[in-house]
């Protein structure tokens, strides 16, 4: 704790020097700076950018951890990263990619796009939206600081308590996992509630539920899953925290507890989590394929109901992660059937994407290439999932590299490729600049080829008997060449990611300003400037059908029909309270991790309570943008 306080004081001292020191104009300089604007923003578009870029940063961190693991496994009997170090890399890679990379990047796209797609000026609760981001960031930062303060978590990303209790992981690593995920999870939960409220209450006039774009639908269903899936994880983490910090015995079987309870609680969350990260990718695919095929999405209504059915079934399949626990043939059979059934609505989506492309005027942009590459890749992951759904087969596949190949085909071949498609598609709307298509196609081909080189051989590694989570293997068992190919594939994925990074640099340095509708889009976000003004729509649009912007263009209209006269627009004010409250949780997390003296934890929680008090008595009700300011903004955009 003393080290943490020294670092905070040093950071404040350095900040004071770099900003010219404290004087009478110090606060004015701070409040007028761009940094302060981004730190205190409640604008959903800026928060979307913060989510996306933070998630991409953690994606790079998780990717480096994966690269280190593959370098260790490139040859037998390697000693580059062994023992506890390998276990820490494995744990942090999985946890970072799921919780700190995929989910925030998804929330980034949701923030940037959903309010625009439904014709809203902001999310329902802008303050809560900002708080959700800063809590995620505080939790992710806390967990990754474990590399510096005492060692990273080493019990696997699922943190089974047979490995995670004090007897087996005595250092602070698992405490960082528990506290970091609790803080980030609070941010995710309130973010999901916010999007549910936004989509239900803030749709533009005429935007009925069956006129909403598919990305908005998948975001809505994802938010509903978050509402029901995260409480079990929160309970599990709280119980593990009490076992580790306060001497309770919820999961210690030697004292009457049960490790299987953790597995149930974790996977009741864990399998819906798969759909939390894949359903928005399905929504991205639907938007991209429809736009670049110049066709209405085939079977829109069936896609909506398939999405809802997937969400319902996602809570009925968690035991397929526990087929070998010994729950009995009846339990295993019921959950096997449910797992196979969930393939049906997923198959509906795949065929609808193919039928949308059939006969369309396909444009092979980078976003469309990622969408096309997504389909066979994700289908392969789905097929191995059905194989794993059969309990007798799962007894052979479980804890082998076959399972590693399966979930990477689903999560990387599905979620990550969906995120890249969404990034190339909505980048001009988020940043007002285009990404380079040539560099983008280099990114696509190197990443796709590298991905299949990495994970396709791992199916055979699993069938040949290579267990998961091992840091070495015996030579001469047929594993050498496949592990070498798998590591070479990671290099291809790394080259693709570097190409994307260079594309971002190119976009900011060399790209011309993007037009409002660079792709000849179909949904409302393409009817306003890129990037949109702070108020999004000068007048709320009147929606007259599905693919509302496309309908208006087909009718010869140059703009959306307004649903209200031009008038004063109310907007929320920025606030420093969300980041201060997240700082309080961050300090409290550190205080609990460094056991024996909970002064830091108490200080952090007091800061959180003070922030709640300040928010409760905050009399700033926002500001108004008047019609003459709106007209001036529109003139500037047109010029």
């Amino acid at each position: 704790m003393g080290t943490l306080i020294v670092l905070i004081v040093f950071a404040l001292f350095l900040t004071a020097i770099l900003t010219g020191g404290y004087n009478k104009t110090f606060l004015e300089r701070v409040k007028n700076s761009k940094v302060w604007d981004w730190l205190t923003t409640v604008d959903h578009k800026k928060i979307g950018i913060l989510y996306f870029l933070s998630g991409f940063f953690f994606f790079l961190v998780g990717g480096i951890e994966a690269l280190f693991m593959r370098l260790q496994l490139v040859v037998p009997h390697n000693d580059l990263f062994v023992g506890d170090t390998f276990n820490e890399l494995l744990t942090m890679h999985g946890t970072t990619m799921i919780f700190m990379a995929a989910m925030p990047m998804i929330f980034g796209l949701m923030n940037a796009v959903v309010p625009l797609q439904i014709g809203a000026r902001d999310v329902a609760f802008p303050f809560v939206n900002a708080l959700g981001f800063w809590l995620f960031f505080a939790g992710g930062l806390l967990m990754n600081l474990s590399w510096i303060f005492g060692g990273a978590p080493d019990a696997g990303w699922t943190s089974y308590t047979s490995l995670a209790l004090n007897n087996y992981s005595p250092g602070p690593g698992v405490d960082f996992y528990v506290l970091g995920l609790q803080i980030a999870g609070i941010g995710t939960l309130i973010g999901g509630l916010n999007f549910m409220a936004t989509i239900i209450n803030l749709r533009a006039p005429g935007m009925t539920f069956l006129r909403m774009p598919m990305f908005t639908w998948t975001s809505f269903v994802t938010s509903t899953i978050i509402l029901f899936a995260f409480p079990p994880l929160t309970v599990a983490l709280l119980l593990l925290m009490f076992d580790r910090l306060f001497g309770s015995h919820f999961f210690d079987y030697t004292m009457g507890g049960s490790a299987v309870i953790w597995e149930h609680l974790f996977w009741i969350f864990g399998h819906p989590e798969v759909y939390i990260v894949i359903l928005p990718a399905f929504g991205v695919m639907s938007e991209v394929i429809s736009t670049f095929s110049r066709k209405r999405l085939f079977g829109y209504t069936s896609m909506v109901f398939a999405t809802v059915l997937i969400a319902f079934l996602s809570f009925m399949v968690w035991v397929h992660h526990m087929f070998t626990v010994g729950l009995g043939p009846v339990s295993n059979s019921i959950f096997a059937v449910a797992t196979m059934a969930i393939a049906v609505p997923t198959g509906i989506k795949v065929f609808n994407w193919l039928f949308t492309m059939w006969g369309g005027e396909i444009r092979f942009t980078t976003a469309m290439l990622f969408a096309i590459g997504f389909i066979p890749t994700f289908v392969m992951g789905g097929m191995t999932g059905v194989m794993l759904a059969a309990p007798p087969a799962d007894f052979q596949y479980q804890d082998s590299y076959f399972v590693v190949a399966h979930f990477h085909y689903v999560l990387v071949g599905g979620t990550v490729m969906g995120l890249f498609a969404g990034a190339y598609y909505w980048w001009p709307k988020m940043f007002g600049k285009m990404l380079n298509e040539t560099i983008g196609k280099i990114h696509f081909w190197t990443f796709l080829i590298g991905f299949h080189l990495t994970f396709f051989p791992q199916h055979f590694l699993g069938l040949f008997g290579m267990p998961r989570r091992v840091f070495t293997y015996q030579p001469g068992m047929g594993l050498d060449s496949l592990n070498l190919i798998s590591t070479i594939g990671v290099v291809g994925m790394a080259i693709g990611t570097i190409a994307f990074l260079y594309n971002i640099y190119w976009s900011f340095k060399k790209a011309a300003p993007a037009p409002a509708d660079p792709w000849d889009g179909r949904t409302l976000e393409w009817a306003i400037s890129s990037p949109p003004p702070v108020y999004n729509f000068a007048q709320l649009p009147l929606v007259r059908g599905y693919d509302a912007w496309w309908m208006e263009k087909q009718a010869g209209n140059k703009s959306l029909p307004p649903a209200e006269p031009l008038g004063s627009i109310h907007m929320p004010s920025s606030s420093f309270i969300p980041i201060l409250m997240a700082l309080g949780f961050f300090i409290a997390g550190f205080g609990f991790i460094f056991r024996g003296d909970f002064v830091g934890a108490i200080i952090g929680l007091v800061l959180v309570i003070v922030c709640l008090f300040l928010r409760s008595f905050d009399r700033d009700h926002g500001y108004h943008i008047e019609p003459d300011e709106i007209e001036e903004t529109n003139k500037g955009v047109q010029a």
Side-chain angles (χ1 to χ4, degrees), residues 204-208 210-212 296 524 541-563:
M207 178 65 78
T208 62
L210 288 179
R211 288 179 178 175
M212 293 195 313
R296 176 190 168 103
L524 294 181
L542 178 65
V543 176
R544 299 194 283 194
Y546 177 68
D547 281 349
W549 177 229
W550 183 260
M551 283 185 61
E552 300 302 333
K553 289 192 291 187
Q554 294 301 104
N557 299 324
K558 301 295 184 182
S559 61
L560 295 168

Side-chain angles (χ1 to χ4, degrees), residues 348-414:
I348 290 171
K349 288 179 171 290
V350 171
F351 281 108
N352 283 359
W353 292 325
L354 295 174
F355 291 145
T356 301
M357 288 188 284
W358 184 267
E361 300 175 25
I362 298 177
R363 289 174 287 162
F364 292 101
T365 62
T366 303
M368 188 62 167
L369 287 175
F370 272 107
I372 293 171
F374 165 97
I375 294 176
T377 307
F378 181 78
V379 167
M380 289 175 67
M383 290 170 62
T384 54
V386 174
M387 295 169 67
L388 289 162
D394 187 72
F395 269 71
Q396 304 301 316
Y397 300 135
Q398 68 95 24
D399 265 349
S400 75
Y401 258 76
F402 188 90
V403 179
V404 177
H406 156 70
F407 66 70
H408 280 91
Y409 262 81
V410 172
L411 293 176
V412 181

